[in-house]
Tab-separated table of all heavy atoms in Angstrom:
chain	number	residue	atom	x	y	z
A	386	THR	N	29.058	86.464	-72.304
A	386	THR	CA	29.641	87.726	-71.838
A	386	THR	C	29.983	87.615	-70.355
A	386	THR	O	29.163	87.150	-69.557
A	386	THR	CB	28.647	88.882	-72.044
A	386	THR	OG1	28.303	88.957	-73.426
A	386	THR	CG2	29.233	90.206	-71.587
A	387	PRO	N	31.185	88.040	-69.950
A	387	PRO	CA	31.531	88.003	-68.526
A	387	PRO	C	30.583	88.884	-67.717
A	387	PRO	O	30.041	89.875	-68.206
A	387	PRO	CB	32.959	88.540	-68.490
A	387	PRO	CG	33.488	88.309	-69.874
A	387	PRO	CD	32.311	88.491	-70.781
A	388	SER	N	30.418	88.520	-66.426
A	388	SER	CA	29.540	89.274	-65.533
A	388	SER	C	30.273	89.547	-64.227
A	388	SER	O	31.350	89.012	-63.961
A	388	SER	CB	28.251	88.500	-65.270
A	388	SER	OG	28.543	87.258	-64.641
A	389	GLY	N	29.648	90.390	-63.399
A	389	GLY	CA	30.163	90.663	-62.068
A	389	GLY	C	31.449	91.465	-62.042
A	389	GLY	O	32.231	91.370	-61.084
A	390	LEU	N	31.685	92.291	-63.063
A	390	LEU	CA	32.929	93.069	-63.123
A	390	LEU	C	32.931	94.149	-62.045
A	390	LEU	O	31.947	94.885	-61.880
A	390	LEU	CB	33.087	93.711	-64.503
A	390	LEU	CG	34.294	94.635	-64.692
A	390	LEU	CD1	35.605	93.861	-64.552
A	390	LEU	CD2	34.221	95.338	-66.056
A	391	THR	N	34.059	94.247	-61.328
A	391	THR	CA	34.254	95.316	-60.339
A	391	THR	C	35.578	95.999	-60.624
A	391	THR	O	36.499	95.418	-61.196
A	391	THR	CB	34.272	94.760	-58.909
A	391	THR	OG1	35.355	93.824	-58.774
A	391	THR	CG2	32.949	94.080	-58.570
A	392	ALA	N	35.668	97.265	-60.211
A	392	ALA	CA	36.893	98.051	-60.384
A	392	ALA	C	37.149	98.826	-59.107
A	392	ALA	O	36.243	99.503	-58.587
A	392	ALA	CB	36.764	98.998	-61.570
A	393	ALA	N	38.384	98.765	-58.584
A	393	ALA	CA	38.724	99.469	-57.348
A	393	ALA	C	40.184	99.888	-57.413
A	393	ALA	O	41.009	99.240	-58.068
A	393	ALA	CB	38.486	98.568	-56.139
A	394	PRO	N	40.557	100.998	-56.752
A	394	PRO	CA	41.961	101.405	-56.710
A	394	PRO	C	42.830	100.298	-56.131
A	394	PRO	O	42.466	99.644	-55.160
A	394	PRO	CB	41.941	102.640	-55.815
A	394	PRO	CG	40.540	103.160	-55.891
A	394	PRO	CD	39.673	101.948	-56.013
A	395	ASP	N	43.993	100.116	-56.785
A	395	ASP	CA	44.892	99.046	-56.349
A	395	ASP	C	46.332	99.538	-56.434
A	395	ASP	O	47.196	98.898	-57.026
A	395	ASP	CB	44.690	97.807	-57.226
A	395	ASP	CG	45.396	96.575	-56.659
A	395	ASP	OD1	45.801	96.612	-55.488
A	395	ASP	OD2	45.555	95.600	-57.417
A	396	GLY	N	46.563	100.712	-55.867
A	396	GLY	CA	47.890	101.317	-55.918
A	396	GLY	C	47.844	102.631	-56.665
A	396	GLY	O	46.810	103.036	-57.219
A	397	ALA	N	48.971	103.329	-56.687
A	397	ALA	CA	49.035	104.649	-57.300
A	397	ALA	C	48.818	104.547	-58.813
A	397	ALA	O	49.635	103.972	-59.529
A	397	ALA	CB	50.386	105.292	-57.013
A	398	GLY	N	47.702	105.088	-59.277
A	398	GLY	CA	47.415	105.081	-60.703
A	398	GLY	C	47.031	103.741	-61.258
A	398	GLY	O	47.116	103.535	-62.473
A	399	ILE	N	46.600	102.818	-60.425
A	399	ILE	CA	46.289	101.460	-60.861
A	399	ILE	C	44.851	101.123	-60.473
A	399	ILE	O	44.399	101.457	-59.371
A	399	ILE	CB	47.252	100.440	-60.233
A	399	ILE	CG1	48.702	100.768	-60.622
A	399	ILE	CG2	46.901	99.017	-60.659
A	399	ILE	CD1	49.717	99.899	-59.932
A	400	ALA	N	44.144	100.478	-61.399
A	400	ALA	CA	42.809	99.952	-61.106
A	400	ALA	C	42.900	98.436	-61.041
A	400	ALA	O	43.492	97.802	-61.927
A	400	ALA	CB	41.817	100.378	-62.173
A	401	GLY	N	42.301	97.850	-59.997
A	401	GLY	CA	42.224	96.407	-59.871
A	401	GLY	C	40.858	95.924	-60.318
A	401	GLY	O	39.833	96.378	-59.807
A	402	LEU	N	40.819	95.050	-61.308
A	402	LEU	CA	39.574	94.552	-61.875
A	402	LEU	C	39.402	93.080	-61.515
A	402	LEU	O	40.381	92.320	-61.448
A	402	LEU	CB	39.575	94.702	-63.401
A	402	LEU	CG	39.897	96.087	-63.976
A	402	LEU	CD1	39.866	96.043	-65.499
A	402	LEU	CD2	38.912	97.139	-63.461
A	403	ALA	N	38.133	92.689	-61.339
A	403	ALA	CA	37.800	91.278	-61.088
A	403	ALA	C	36.432	90.996	-61.686
A	403	ALA	O	35.570	91.885	-61.738
A	403	ALA	CB	37.805	90.986	-59.587
A	404	TRP	N	36.221	89.750	-62.158
A	404	TRP	CA	34.948	89.369	-62.758
A	404	TRP	C	34.735	87.872	-62.582
A	404	TRP	O	35.652	87.131	-62.212
A	404	TRP	CB	34.915	89.750	-64.238
A	404	TRP	CG	36.020	89.138	-65.061
A	404	TRP	CD1	35.999	87.977	-65.747
A	404	TRP	CD2	37.332	89.682	-65.261
A	404	TRP	NE1	37.190	87.728	-66.365
A	404	TRP	CE2	38.035	88.784	-66.101
A	404	TRP	CE3	37.978	90.844	-64.821
A	404	TRP	CZ2	39.346	89.003	-66.497
A	404	TRP	CZ3	39.272	91.071	-65.227
A	404	TRP	CH2	39.959	90.160	-66.046
A	405	GLN	N	33.532	87.473	-62.870
A	405	GLN	CA	33.172	86.065	-62.738
A	405	GLN	C	33.656	85.294	-63.970
A	405	GLN	O	33.612	85.795	-65.094
A	405	GLN	CB	31.651	85.902	-62.594
A	405	GLN	CG	31.096	86.531	-61.331
A	405	GLN	CD	31.675	85.884	-60.081
A	405	GLN	OE1	31.806	84.655	-59.999
A	405	GLN	NE2	32.059	86.719	-59.122
A	406	PRO	N	34.135	84.082	-63.780
A	406	PRO	CA	34.607	83.303	-64.933
A	406	PRO	C	33.451	82.913	-65.843
A	406	PRO	O	32.299	82.813	-65.422
A	406	PRO	CB	35.248	82.082	-64.285
A	406	PRO	CG	34.608	81.961	-62.947
A	406	PRO	CD	34.303	83.367	-62.497
A	407	VAL	N	33.790	82.709	-67.116
A	407	VAL	CA	32.828	82.260	-68.127
A	407	VAL	C	33.086	80.788	-68.412
A	407	VAL	O	34.239	80.365	-68.564
A	407	VAL	CB	32.969	83.091	-69.415
A	407	VAL	CG1	32.110	82.514	-70.535
A	407	VAL	CG2	32.593	84.546	-69.142
A	408	GLY	N	32.030	80.022	-68.454
A	408	GLY	CA	32.170	78.599	-68.704
A	408	GLY	C	32.605	78.292	-70.117
A	408	GLY	O	32.297	79.026	-71.061
A	409	GLY	N	33.318	77.197	-70.270
A	409	GLY	CA	33.744	76.780	-71.594
A	409	GLY	C	35.220	76.458	-71.607
A	409	GLY	O	35.972	76.760	-70.678
Side-chain angles (χ1 to χ4, degrees):
T386 302
S388 61
L390 176 64
T391 61
D395 191 14
I399 301 174
L402 308 179
W404 58 92
Q405 296 298 317
V407 172

